Amino acid sequence: MKTQVAIIGSGPSGLLLGQLLHTQGIDNVIIEQRSQDYVLGRIRAGVLEQGMVNLLREAGASERMDREGDVHEGVFLAFNGKKVRVDLAGLTGGDTVMVYGQTEVTKDLMDARAKAGLTTIYEADNVQPHDFYTDSPSVTFTKDGEAITLECDYIAGCDGFHGISRKSVPQDKLKTFERVYPFGWLGVLSDTPPVSDELIYAKHERGFALCSMRSATRSRYYVQVPQDEHVEDWSDDRFWDELKKRLPPETATKLVTGPSIEKSIAPLRSFVAEPMKFGNLFLVGDAAHIVPPTGAKGLNLAASDVSTLYRALTATYQEGRADLLEKYSEVCLRRIWKAERFSWWMTSMLHRFGDDDFDQRIAQAELDYVTGSEAGLKTIAENYVGLPYEPLE
Ligand code: FAD
């Protein structure tokens, strides 16, 4: 098999990159180790920055998002029994975010890919990138017992944190930075109306909570839990009781509860791998970096990497500007580290880290300060809606 760009992984990074490249006539094949249903069944992010919304439009996969997605102009920070609104639009000169689930984004991109007749190979085993320091890289895999080699010009490693791409690069050429947090988020998805029209990030002495939503009838709630917690120990009743305790009383009394349709615990981690380019292999999205979800940045950072790689590849194929590909790491990492900082800061300010009273008071004072200062609110707003994409040159 032969293509121009071999893409490993059919998460949002791989699917979005594939679709954007297709709009420029650049051939690509996606190789995914899981089944299509498995990929579609993962419940993850739900807040899209304007930059990602624009990319989905550019990729021709935005019709349903534009119809069903919910534009949000603000978010709430709740603490000490009260709620403070961060007026995203007012503080940023009109910028907003779109609430539209990652599952829906994935589905729309898969549909667009099928419509365009592009090849995706699901349930591929033993996927392995080769020879990416040469001009003839390839990806090998087995499908239904048959060994296949995909020859290509470039490989995009869009295979997430546990993927094979980052593991395949010479480890002495890779530097990693990591912070693992001593807690996770227990998330519940339920077919109940959201407690608020806008997201609520709540700090409480029992721990952090988040009220989020996917639509007018589907809610997504989270509570901070210890790192070693087991989801089986959390009945729906226990979850709802705990969530109510962490919300301001007037919000808790309005909460509509119901059976969970998904319940899982996600660990929280900050991670960056540098560089993101190894010859003709490029790491994209979670393959190169992870943020704790407190700033709603994971999916959005994947989109900004995709944007940079797509523009550099387009310039390479259409104008012979391969020099732009050399800048891929540097351009991506500038924005990635700013989002890492914001996500770490929001996590530090809003979570309970332990029993150290001094740390608790400092985090409390910081939240009190930023929500009482226009400069503080503006800092949150401009990071939350998403910093501008870095130019390639
Ligand atoms: P992924 O979505 O991980 O996709 C990688 C794909 O590669 C997968 O389909 C995988 O099966 C495939 N793959 C892996 N290994 C191989 C291989 N060897 N060969 C072939 N294919 C392979 N972000 C937020 O902003 N807000 C949230 O609330 C939020 N919640 C999250 C909850 C969870 C449980 C997780 C795990 C992540 C969450 N994130 C959240 C982060 C966000 O979902 C990711 O940043 C986003 O999915 C990144 O997309 P990606 O395509 O780079 O990676």
Side-chain angles (χ1 to χ4, degrees):
M1 276 178 95
K2 215 170 171 148
T3 189
Q4 288 174 301
V5 181
I7 299 174
I8 305 178
S10 78
S13 298
L15 288 164
L16 182 58
L17 178 65
Q19 207 54 33
L20 287 165
L21 291 176
H22 170 69
T23 64
Q24 299 302 318
I26 300 168
D27 189 48
N28 60 88
V29 170
I30 296 183
I31 303 152
E32 164 64 50
Q33 69 177 4
R34 302 286 193 167
S35 70
Q36 188 165 6
D37 285 347
Y38 181 93
V39 174
L40 269 176
R42 289 189 295 226
I43 309 293
R44 291 182 170 179
V47 176
L48 313 185
E49 294 173 354
Q50 191 62 47
M52 176 154 197
V53 167
N54 293 344
L55 278 179
L56 286 164
R57 289 183 183 145
E58 201 171 331
S62 66
E63 199 198 318
R64 199 162 62 96
M65 172 192 73
D66 283 326
R67 208 174 49 239
E68 297 175 13
D70 203 7
V71 173
H72 282 214
E73 296 191 349
V75 293
F76 288 102
L77 297 177
F79 60 106
N80 288 348
K82 63 175 181 181
K83 278 191 322 189
V84 176
R85 183 167 187 266
V86 184
D87 178 2
L88 299 174
L91 289 158
T92 60
D95 288 350
T96 56
V97 291
M98 171 87 82
V99 171
Y100 190 65
Q102 177 170 336
T103 317
E104 311 310 318
V105 171
T106 307
K107 183 172 187 318
D108 295 347
L109 286 166
M110 282 177 173
D111 289 349
R113 191 166 177 85
K115 215 163 147 189
L118 298 170
T119 307
T120 310
I121 295 157
Y122 288 101
E123 298 178 85
D125 292 322
N126 306 316
V127 179
Q128 183 63 56
H130 300 275
D131 302 327
F132 40 84
Y133 281 108
T134 73
D135 288 337
S136 42
S138 62
V139 179
T140 56
F141 56 96
T142 49
K143 173 71 186 167
D144 300 330
E146 185 193 349
I148 300 175
T149 299
L150 174 63
E151 293 171 21
C152 56
D153 301 332
Y154 301 102
I155 302 172
C158 301
D159 46 354
F161 183 65
H162 299 288
I164 190 67
S165 298
R166 194 181 68 252
K167 287 185 195 139
S168 301
V169 306
Q171 295 301 298
D172 61 341
K173 290 198 162 45
L174 190 72
K175 182 162 172 58
T176 59
F177 304 82
E178 186 164 30
R179 167 98 11 127
V180 178
Y181 300 88
F183 42 74
W185 280 16
L186 169 63
V188 156
L189 190 69
S190 64
D191 276 330
T192 52
V195 69
S196 162
D197 290 344
E198 295 179 337
L199 280 83
I200 303 174
Y201 290 80
K203 179 179 180 66
H204 190 274
E205 61 181 22
R206 296 179 69 86
F208 170 79
L210 171 61
C211 303
S212 176
M213 67 292 287
R214 293 292 182 267
S215 70
T217 55
R218 181 165 284 189
S219 300
R220 180 74 164 158
Y221 296 106
Y222 297 93
V223 292
Q224 173 189 350
V225 292
Q227 204 176 24
D228 52 3
E229 202 74 5
H230 298 288
V231 73
E232 306 78 54
D233 295 335
W234 284 84
S235 65
D236 288 355
D237 286 346
R238 183 179 173 204
F239 177 85
W240 295 121
D241 286 347
E242 187 59 41
L243 177 62
K244 280 182 190 167
K245 285 180 188 151
R246 299 184 188 190
L247 299 176
E250 50 110 9
T251 306
T253 52
K254 281 197 285 185
L255 184 73
V256 180
T257 63
S260 61
I261 52 176
E262 196 266 357
K263 197 188 287 162
S264 54
I265 296 180
L268 263 65
R269 181 195 303 269
S270 298
F271 174 88
V272 181
E274 293 185 0
M276 292 164 63
K277 175 184 186 297
F278 303 86
N280 289 319
L281 167 68
F282 300 84
L283 301 182
V284 183
D286 277 19
H289 44 78
I290 298 286
V291 284
T294 326
K297 289 285 162 264
L299 177 59
N300 292 302
L301 270 187
S304 56
D305 292 353
V306 166
S307 170
T308 304
L309 186 55
Y310 150 64
R311 290 183 208 291
L313 283 170
T314 302
T316 301
Y317 279 111
Q318 294 181 355
E319 300 158 38
R321 293 288 314 273
D323 58 305
L324 295 180
L325 283 173
E326 297 304 319
K327 296 185 173 178
Y328 173 71
S329 275
E330 176 197 326
V331 171
C332 290
L333 284 164
R334 269 205 299 273
R335 190 170 190 276
I336 288 162
W337 274 111
K338 288 178 201 158
E340 290 281 347
R341 185 209 67 82
F342 177 66
S343 305
W344 161 84
W345 177 66
M346 288 281 280
T347 304
S348 311
M349 188 167 63
L350 293 170
H351 289 70
R352 187 180 179 100
F353 273 72
D355 294 329
D356 188 316
D357 289 342
F358 183 82
D359 288 349
Q360 282 292 315
R361 286 286 194 277
I362 291 289
Q364 190 78 33
E366 188 161 29
L367 188 53
D368 214 7
Y369 165 65
V370 291
T371 53
S373 141
E374 176 150 2
L377 287 171
K378 206 166 179 169
T379 296
I380 294 178
E382 68 185 23
N383 281 278
Y384 194 83
V385 298
L387 296 175
Y389 282 13
E390 298 278 338
L392 262 174
E393 54 182 346

